[in-house]
Amino acid sequence: MSNCKFVTQSKLPTEHGEFTLCAFEEPNGKEHLALTFGDLDSKNPVLCRVHSECLTGDALMSLRCDCGPQLQAALKMIAQNGSGILLYLRQEGRGIGLVNKIRAYALQDTGHDTVEANESLGFAADLRNYNICSDILSHFDISAVNLLTNNPKKVEALEDAGIVVSQRMSLHAGENINNKDYLDTKRDKLGHLT
């Protein structure tokens, strides 16, 4: 367990509706967010997205990945559902950090795929850790979720942390000609589902 603790919250109006933005902090100072919408009924599975930070995709609207469109699609689905939660984890570049992610991009520019680029830099293909999800979800008394993801490792990680994943719901958004190889690599080498 990471002992990730709730710090504060505020309203967050978005184009999809008004969310509540909750800040959490790990003992090492790393900060994470939870965006909640509507009344979270902890007696039933809550619609949930676990989204890892991607500055280039989420904020700069990069077409190299599908992160920004997936983030917006998840927020829209949660709002349309009337309730749900999005966990925004500070794990840039599958956990290698922003500068190393840009180094990986440079290697991809020379023909490496996303996995080969991370490995060429001396990292595992994916260093993300989802242990903090149970700390954040337990703050809201959530023990079961309908998870918006194409990544079976997120399902396994939540289940290993004691969260019931009642349903995995595919989330496809942002596919384009610039990220076709990236999406193929996620499917073929990282086991992402369709």
Side-chain angles (χ1 to χ4, degrees), residues 32-127:
H32 307 279
L33 302 172
L35 289 84
T36 66
F37 191 90
D39 294 324
L40 301 177
D41 177 9
S42 60
K43 294 180 182 138
N44 293 300
V46 174
L47 185 60
C48 177
R49 166 76 179 160
V50 176
H51 189 90
S52 294
E53 174 184 35
C54 177
L55 178 72
T56 51
D58 298 341
L60 302 177
M61 308 312 285
S62 169
L63 297 178
R64 293 184 84 125
C65 64
D66 57 345
C67 301
Q70 280 196 335
L71 174 62
Q72 292 304 315
L75 291 172
K76 182 178 180 180
M77 290 174 74
I78 288 168
Q80 288 176 340
N81 185 61
S83 68
I85 185 168
L86 184 138
L87 307 186
Y88 193 87
L89 307 183
R90 304 294 303 277
Q91 306 189 111
E92 184 73 52
R94 288 199 199 100
I96 68 174
L98 182 59
V99 171
N100 283 322
K101 180 168 115 173
I102 296 168
R103 287 184 177 117
Y105 278 174
L107 289 170
Q108 291 170 44
D109 290 343
T110 66
H112 291 72
D113 68 34
T114 185
V115 168
E116 294 164 349
N118 279 20
E119 291 172 344
S120 292
L121 292 171
F123 300 108
D126 192 340
L127 292 173

Side-chain angles (χ1 to χ4, degrees), residues 45 145-149 155 164-169:
V145 296
N146 291 328
L147 191 63
L148 292 166
T149 189
V155 175
V164 174
V165 179
S166 298
Q167 182 180 1
R168 181 194 70 83
M169 302 170 68

Side-chain angles (χ1 to χ4, degrees), residues 65-66 69-70 150 171-180 183:
C65 64
D66 57 345
Q70 280 196 335
N150 303 324
L171 181 62
H172 295 284
E175 294 94 345
N176 66 73
I177 190 139
N178 297 290
N179 66 17
K180 183 187 180 315
L183 296 175

